[in-house]
Amino acid sequence: LQLFPELSLLLQFVLKHKEFAHLREVKVFPNALNPHKEESLALVKAMIDQVMALHEDVKWFHIGCDEVYYLGEGEESKQWLQQQDNTPEKLCLSHIKAVASCVASSYPAVTPIVWDDMLRGISEETLAESGVPQLVQPMIWDYAADLDVEGKVHLIEKYRRCGFSKVWFGSAFKGATGVNQSLTLIGHHLKNHLQWLKVASDSPADVLEGIALTGWQRYDHFSVLCELLPVAIPSLAVCLQALKNGGYSEKIKENVEKLLGMSNLETESFMSTSLGTFPGSNILTLVTQVSFYLKSSVDELLERNRYVTGWFSPYHRKRKIIHPVIMHHFQPDAVSLLSKWNAVVQDLQAAMEQVFHKCTVEEWMEENVHPSLQKLQQLVDDLDKA
């Protein structure tokens, strides 16, 4: 089991700042680096050096290079592409080669890895002639539960013919199923790993270097948080055990339950609120409560309680009027519900603060808790005023 750094989303973090904006491929988008500027390569080299200073013993360094949608659309790139025989594919490969060469020259014991999606459509001849296969190992990524096994095997064969010595697989144990997903559907990720096992069994024995179990924290640097790590630890345990044992069975499930201290591990539906004993299990329990019941319970009161919709509508609330008899039909429920959720959220906040930076806690609460809790609090406040 190895950990290694990866640079993809770091460039969005860097290029969003005005002092680096002049290095963008397209002026208004902080997604891609202008490969024609010497300063661009110097920036990437500085980033590599900073990461390597913290991870001196790594064997692999993931240099990113996925989904570079706007490569070739900058003004300098357009001029470069007008020259004979220049293509977007060659532009991409030349940049990969330059970055990989930086790694190779400064850290000869480290092997660069690249995401493979920019390579998939490039012809075997172009790939082979680029010199890239001798410098990097491609990581073939696919996070689907029904990934195309045969297609992946053919892709591996193509990469071998081009000169790549080894390939990696990129799977996911969390994320990839919804940009603002708060709970992890274990079954989806388990199926993804079982499919990758099939790809491995159908491929030459010496071609696979390893598999990276990605755990997305967000879809990109600017999107909201998806599943938190503690929420997805059961999924990670299931996926690791499936890989370790070459499959998944009732016996393996029982072993995972024992490891996690959980009585019933659900894979085909979202986990229930049952407790486990693994670190972070309290966060999973509380996040599950909030995800399942907070919004639905508040909406039930505000939108489907006839006394609220009929006698305490926005019209009534604005004018602070309510029939005193009607008030007694729902005020106790509203106050009780608010008290209950305030207690749950207080526990969740305390649990999260032990693990996450305060800005992560703040963001998750603002996205997943505050909208419903504030509506409920406002109803209670309006009742008091009325």
Side-chain angles (χ1 to χ4, degrees), residues 312 315-322 382 385-386:
F312 205 50
Y315 177 87
H316 296 92
R317 291 169 69 173
K318 182 179 178 181
R319 290 160 179 79
K320 302 181 179 62
I321 52 173
I322 187 169
D382 286 353
K385 291 172 187 173

Side-chain angles (χ1 to χ4, degrees), residues 247-347:
Y248 195 69
S249 65
E250 189 61 33
K251 185 178 178 182
I252 295 168
K253 175 178 177 285
E254 289 171 6
N255 186 41
V256 174
E257 288 173 343
K258 185 179 176 182
L259 289 167
L260 298 173
M262 302 186 80
S263 58
N264 185 31
L265 187 67
E266 297 168 32
T267 58
E268 294 310 310
S269 60
F270 289 115
M271 296 288 292
S272 67
T273 54
S274 61
L275 280 166
T277 57
F278 64 91
S281 58
N282 56 338
I283 294 177
L284 169 57
T285 299
L286 293 164
V287 165
T288 302
Q289 283 185 41
V290 167
S291 300
F292 276 172
Y293 305 118
L294 172 57
K295 186 177 186 300
S296 60
S297 65
V298 172
D299 288 350
E300 181 71 29
L301 179 68
L302 268 62
E303 297 172 15
R304 288 181 284 281
N305 183 299
R306 65 190 292 261
Y307 298 109
V308 176
T309 58
W311 283 270
F312 205 50
S313 69
Y315 177 87
H316 296 92
R317 291 169 69 173
K318 182 179 178 181
R319 290 160 179 79
K320 302 181 179 62
I321 52 173
I322 187 169
H323 193 302
V325 169
I326 295 294
M327 188 163 141
H328 293 294
H329 282 292
F330 70 91
Q331 187 183 36
D333 291 338
V335 171
S336 173
L337 194 62
L338 180 62
S339 175
K340 172 200 164 183
W341 282 119
N342 275 332
V344 169
V345 169
Q346 196 172 354
D347 288 346

